[in-house]
Amino acid sequence: MIPRRVRLLFLTLLPLTLAAEGKVPPIWPQIQGIFPRGGQRGAAVKITLKGRNLQQTRELRFRSPHLTARVLSATPYQVEALVTLAPSAEPGRHDLRLLAPHGSAIGYFDVGTVAERTEKEPNNHPAQAEPLPFPALVNGILTAGDYDYFRLEAAAGQTLTFDVLATRNGASTDAALALLNEAGDELAFSDDYYGFKDPHLRYTFAKTGRYLLRVHGSSEAGCDTCDYRLRAGTMPHVETVIPAGGQPGQPTTITLRGVNLRHLAGVTLGDGLAEGEVLTATATEATVRLTVPPHAAPGVYKLHGRDALLPASFVVSTFPEFAVADGSARSRKDPLPVTLPVIANGILNRPRAADHFAFRVDGPETVVLEAHAMQLGYLTDPLVALYDESGNRLAWQDDPTTNTGKEPANLDPHLVFRLPRAGRYTAMIRDAQFRGDPAFLYRLTIKKAEPDFSLRVVGTDDTLYRGRTNTILVRVRRLEGWNEPVEVYVPHLPPGVSVQPVVAEPKNTPYTGTCGETHYLDGTNVEMQITVAPDAPPLAGHLEFRGRSRGVERIARTRYFRARIRHIGDAEEDHLRVTIADAPGAVLTVPPALALGKDHTAALTVIVTRLDEGRAEPLDLAIEAAADGLTATAAPVPPTTTRAELRLRAEAKAPGEFVVVARRAGAVIGRSHPIRLRSPQ
């Protein structure tokens, strides 16, 4: 059975097939756009969420106690809310959870540190460009063919940074960014700078004068929910942090590299976890002393430069780590000696750069070479290799699994290899495509293997329907050579809910690529069948998934589903949020709006999905909640029919909204969302 979030695509394309199987269409809440998608800390901002199935939204919730939201209104297509950001709110992206009786949905909300405003249309031409005073954070929307122009002033020798936060923030926007001189000549351009499409520009101006900044959709693409957040100015921008991690309780001197760092006043680790002291600062480099608190849990944290453009990643780990001085480990014949376990932090600053590290083992030993780069937000694509003392390559790895775009993939290598004997060995790391750049940072862990496994629920939320069996996808990933079966189960089940444990065998799950080829995941997928009794009480809560094997037990975290919010990684909520609800007897899929013809008539196509017990009986479709003067005619819908048509007629102008209802033997078993009827053009 295909998991629910994956079914979304097929439900859109193949409603006839799914209706025949009696599967539930996407009737849970879906967030398609948020505007504005952020706000300045210390302020209150009114936001609008657009999507489908948003009716009866009762709450918007953040994990952080410094962010609160109050729902002002909710319709099936739109929610208005007021978000209050405390002055102490951590800058950067936060999960925004929408809760309704029929399910939940997750989106992103960005906390900024500078005053914000909204773009003002019309600004589609250079002559209409609006001023862009610095520091700037502008919220905008790019419709199809839309160009947003901004006017700015720069001084000779000044370096400005421009960054568009859109796709990384969960928006559907594929934005491009261009810097022009006053005559309209293009000076710089950026389209897909980050791994998820957003543009980024850094430019040092040769002449004092006026300039133009243009934001537009790539290939003029756009939509009513294609939002963006443009950040620009002379604020500090950190591109690399080296070393990019530290041990709890240990003082660490870190070097920040980027632009406009002379103005960096300090750094903060995470949500006020620790403060760093700036020791020295130039335009492109700053030295900071930071002590990670002894109680800090291992993991990835945001490192915030005060008033900086974007946060950087900083990892708290339990292993000793050091910064590789530029070029000090480049020789394969004379590798840099290290003692295991160790984490080397380096930068592949030029094409074909490769760093080498020599270590010794006292006997046969299984070792791990694990690189972190892309999952920390860097554009490095690491490749690791292992050599013996004679220079023979023993093993190598680029990506742990094939990256096809169909599955959330881990692009950072995790190489596990059994060394046959005592001796001296060399670990090597380079970019897989032999690229190099001053921002190509890596963290390479070299250690003796400690076999373990991890669990992730693929998705952050699900709606479980009473009287039905629902499927949840859990991925078991074997780490550092773990090769045992793992039993996945759910303890502490609510009343009326049952789940059978499933064993994940020690083999990777295959899947089919876009051309019919077979690929393998970096782990094993198991489908957990969750059965909800017809009389189970309604629930809005969490399910905790666990795995156990050979006396080891691990708790699953939830993982963002890439196709929904365009981000790979763990969500802020640890456990899967579930809603137990009743599925309607019939689901009527209709457009949000319909236009009348010049004769004041219209044809409405309704996709019908039957979920009721009496599917052998025909359905009658009608309209209700409509103003006087609107009538509809429809023939009964046979049991096997999934597409029906209503003929509408209005006596005069369009009478606003109406709802389609489905009746079986006179009883209403399903209602559509409201449909807005537009007058003829």
Side-chain angles (χ1 to χ4, degrees):
M1 182 178 292
I2 301 172
R4 190 194 74 179
R5 293 306 191 204
V6 178
R7 289 204 307 263
L8 178 60
L9 175 62
F10 297 104
L11 283 164
T12 302
L13 300 177
L14 300 173
L16 303 184
T17 301
L18 291 185
E21 296 177 359
K23 295 180 181 178
V24 180
I27 55 178
W28 52 88
Q30 301 162 54
I31 299 174
Q32 297 171 341
I34 303 174
F35 190 81
R37 201 177 281 265
Q40 183 185 12
R41 57 181 181 175
V45 57
K46 184 178 179 181
I47 66 171
T48 300
L49 296 88
K50 293 185 178 181
R52 294 185 66 87
N53 306 312
L54 304 181
Q55 68 276 7
Q56 296 181 286
T57 293
R58 61 192 181 198
E59 186 179 358
L60 296 179
R61 182 182 298 176
F62 294 93
R63 177 78 177 265
S64 171
H66 305 298
L67 298 170
T68 59
R70 177 167 58 91
V71 175
L72 303 176
S73 64
T75 70
Y77 304 112
Q78 184 168 297
V79 172
E80 302 279 351
L82 183 68
V83 177
T84 302
L85 301 83
S88 56
E90 182 179 4
R93 187 179 59 210
H94 293 258
D95 287 357
L96 171 62
R97 168 76 65 181
L98 180 148
L99 299 171
H102 52 289
S104 64
I106 198 168
Y108 284 149
F109 186 85
D110 180 61
V111 175
T113 59
V114 300
E116 304 190 8
R117 63 186 178 88
T118 301
E119 57 137 341
K120 295 180 174 60
E121 296 283 357
N123 58 359
N124 293 342
H125 302 284
Q128 299 171 322
E130 55 181 301
L132 189 67
F134 300 131
L137 202 161
V138 182
N139 295 285
I141 292 179
L142 292 174
T143 56
D146 188 17
Y147 288 83
D148 291 345
Y149 281 89
F150 302 92
R151 185 174 67 254
L152 59 104
E153 295 184 358
Q158 186 178 38
T159 299
L160 293 177
T161 305
F162 308 93
D163 191 271
V164 171
L165 181 61
T167 311
R168 289 171 293 153
N169 218 25
S172 300
T173 320
D174 184 4
L177 195 59
L179 181 66
L180 316 173
N181 62 20
E182 199 169 16
D185 302 318
E186 187 176 287
L187 303 177
F189 176 83
S190 177
D191 188 352
D192 299 339
Y193 176 84
Y194 296 97
F196 287 98
K197 291 184 176 293
D198 288 346
H200 176 93
L201 277 178
R202 183 184 71 185
Y203 193 82
T204 301
F205 293 82
K207 298 179 180 180
T208 299
R210 294 181 177 179
Y211 296 87
L212 295 170
L213 186 70
R214 183 181 67 211
V215 185
H216 62 94
S218 183
S219 300
E220 296 193 335
C223 62
D224 291 340
T225 57
C226 289
D227 62 90
Y228 68 85
R229 285 167 66 78
L230 168 66
R231 290 179 279 195
T234 59
M235 63 274 280
H237 176 52
V238 177
E239 294 182 337
T240 61
V241 179
I242 186 164
Q247 293 178 278
Q250 298 293 322
T252 304
T253 299
I254 59 178
T255 300
L256 312 181
R257 295 175 181 170
V259 296
N260 295 322
L261 298 184
R262 190 186 306 278
H263 310 298
L264 187 68
V267 300
T268 302
L269 180 63
D271 193 3
L273 188 65
E275 298 291 331
E277 177 190 2
V278 177
L279 303 178
T280 63
T282 68
T284 59
E285 188 171 293
T287 305
V288 175
R289 181 185 291 118
L290 178 70
T291 299
V292 178
H295 63 272
V300 181
Y301 294 82
K302 297 171 186 172
L303 186 68
H304 306 279
R306 197 163 302 162
D307 297 324
L309 185 73
L310 297 166
S313 295
F314 190 86
V315 184
V316 175
S317 68
T318 58
F319 298 134
E321 47 188 288
F322 70 99
V324 181
D326 293 346
S328 64
R330 291 289 148 81
S331 173
R332 182 171 165 183
K333 294 182 179 180
D334 186 21
L336 193 66
V338 296
T339 301
L340 306 190
V342 70
I343 300 176
N345 295 261
I347 295 178
L348 303 173
N349 58 355
R350 58 179 175 79
R352 307 194 70 84
D355 284 347
H356 303 79
F357 306 92
F359 63 93
R360 302 192 69 88
V361 294
D362 298 329
E365 190 73 68
T366 301
V367 296
V368 177
L369 272 63
E370 183 174 44
H372 287 174
M374 283 199 170
Q375 58 191 294
L376 298 180
Y378 295 99
L379 299 179
T380 327
D381 183 9
L383 179 148
V384 297
L386 192 60
Y387 299 89
D388 64 17
E389 199 160 4
S390 300
N392 299 311
R393 191 178 70 186
L394 303 176
W396 68 277
Q397 189 180 87
D398 178 6
D399 301 335
T401 187
T402 312
N403 178 27
T404 66
K406 293 185 67 175
E407 287 284 347
N410 175 20
L411 302 180
D412 291 336
H414 178 88
L415 175 64
V416 181
F417 188 78
R418 178 73 175 174
L419 299 176
R421 62 185 65 85
R424 178 177 178 269
Y425 295 88
T426 299
M428 183 274 294
I429 184 169
R430 64 169 172 85
D431 182 81
Q433 305 302 319
F434 296 100
R435 302 171 305 156
D437 189 272
F440 275 15
L441 182 142
Y442 68 81
R443 278 172 51 85
L444 175 63
T445 301
I446 312 172
K447 63 186 290 288
K448 296 177 182 179
E450 300 174 275
D452 203 346
F453 64 90
S454 66
L455 285 83
R456 294 295 185 270
V457 179
V458 182
T460 58
D461 47 82
D462 220 312
T463 300
L464 311 178
Y465 296 105
R466 295 200 282 194
R468 302 178 70 90
T469 296
N470 310 265
T471 301
I472 303 295
L473 191 67
V474 178
R475 182 164 301 166
V476 178
R477 187 179 178 214
R478 292 170 297 281
L479 307 172
E480 303 188 20
W482 187 277
N483 199 35
E484 300 290 338
V486 176
E487 182 186 46
V488 183
Y489 69 105
V490 183
H492 317 305
L493 289 169
V497 178
S498 61
V499 182
Q500 290 298 319
V502 178
V503 174
E505 298 295 340
K507 56 184 179 181
N508 289 348
T509 298
Y511 67 97
T512 302
T514 53
C515 297
E517 73 280 15
T518 300
H519 300 279
Y520 291 88
L521 297 173
D522 182 26
T524 305
N525 281 352
V526 294
E527 295 182 347
M528 306 295 292
Q529 304 294 324
I530 301 182
T531 302
V532 183
D535 59 349
L539 172 72
H542 293 89
L543 286 185
E544 180 184 278
F545 292 78
R546 295 188 179 186
R548 56 191 172 196
S549 177
R550 298 286 185 178
V552 178
E553 186 163 2
R554 297 288 178 258
I555 299 176
R557 293 202 61 182
T558 55
R559 195 164 180 83
Y560 298 121
F561 190 77
R562 179 178 183 176
R564 294 295 300 151
I565 57 176
R566 300 171 181 85
H567 180 66
I568 298 174
D570 292 341
E572 291 182 359
E573 283 188 314
D574 293 335
H575 307 311
L576 182 75
R577 177 169 289 276
V578 295
T579 304
I580 293 179
D582 287 319
V587 178
L588 307 179
T589 303
V590 296
L594 187 69
L596 285 169
K598 292 183 179 180
D599 59 352
H600 293 277
T601 66
L604 173 65
T605 299
V606 182
I607 303 300
V608 181
T609 304
R610 298 286 296 271
L611 303 171
D612 58 314
E613 297 294 333
R615 276 176 273 180
E617 302 177 32
L619 282 183
D620 292 313
L621 299 183
I623 62 171
E624 65 176 28
D628 292 339
L630 180 66
T631 59
T633 57
V637 182
T640 58
T641 299
T642 59
R643 188 184 299 268
E645 187 173 280
L646 278 76
R647 297 296 303 181
L648 303 173
R649 175 176 291 278
E651 289 184 358
K653 62 180 182 179
E657 294 182 340
F658 66 95
V659 173
V660 180
V661 297
R663 293 187 175 91
R664 188 191 74 225
V668 175
I669 64 169
R671 283 184 169 84
S672 76
H673 286 334
I675 306 168
R676 177 164 293 279
L677 199 60
R678 296 194 297 260
S679 299
Q681 299 297 320

